[in-house]
Amino acid sequence: MVDMVPILIPGIEEGDDRRNGLLTLARIWTTLTTGEILPKDRAADWALARLPEEHRRVLAHARAAYLGEKRENWRDFAPRVRPHVDHVIARIRTLTAGTSPT
């Protein structure tokens, strides 16, 4: 699961698969913390409750687009994507001390 982290980054950064990449990072973080494999939207709910305010909008948008509640448009969120990703990867690294997802 942690080995997927570097594979997700290009799709997130280039926008090819941003929504699913962000939701997958939330699932990885959730699974490592709780031991449960949750659906993407429920993993996003879990992560949203634990993210600092400045990182919530990105994941909330990905979740809403996944559920069909909003149109997937990243223009307003693009500058916030990388800081969000860096924050979640840092949480994953903390949980996987000894491995190095990038």
Side-chain angles (χ1 to χ4, degrees):
M1 181 172 49
V2 174
D3 292 341
M4 288 183 59
V5 171
I7 296 166
L8 297 171
I9 302 305
I12 293 170
E13 287 182 339
E14 296 164 15
D16 297 341
D17 199 15
R18 186 167 285 162
R19 180 192 70 211
N20 286 317
L22 292 167
L23 293 170
T24 300
L25 284 176
R27 284 183 89 188
I28 292 169
W29 181 24
T30 302
T31 301
L32 289 172
T33 303
T34 69
E36 295 181 67
I37 300 172
L38 300 175
K40 289 179 179 177
D41 59 320
R42 289 192 45 221
D45 289 339
W46 181 92
L48 284 165
R50 288 154 181 83
L51 283 169
E53 181 66 34
E54 68 267 21
H55 297 302
R56 290 183 193 150
R57 289 186 63 207
V58 168
L59 186 57
H61 181 69
R63 182 188 180 281
Y66 172 75
L67 293 173
E69 297 171 355
K70 290 191 177 181
R71 192 170 68 83
E72 189 170 354
N73 180 342
W74 291 98
R75 184 187 58 216
D76 294 339
F77 299 94
R80 298 173 185 234
V81 170
R82 188 62 207 208
H84 168 84
V85 168
D86 290 343
H87 180 82
V88 174
I89 289 174
R91 300 291 62 81
I92 291 169
R93 283 185 176 149
T94 298
L95 295 165
T96 60
T99 63
S100 181
T102 54

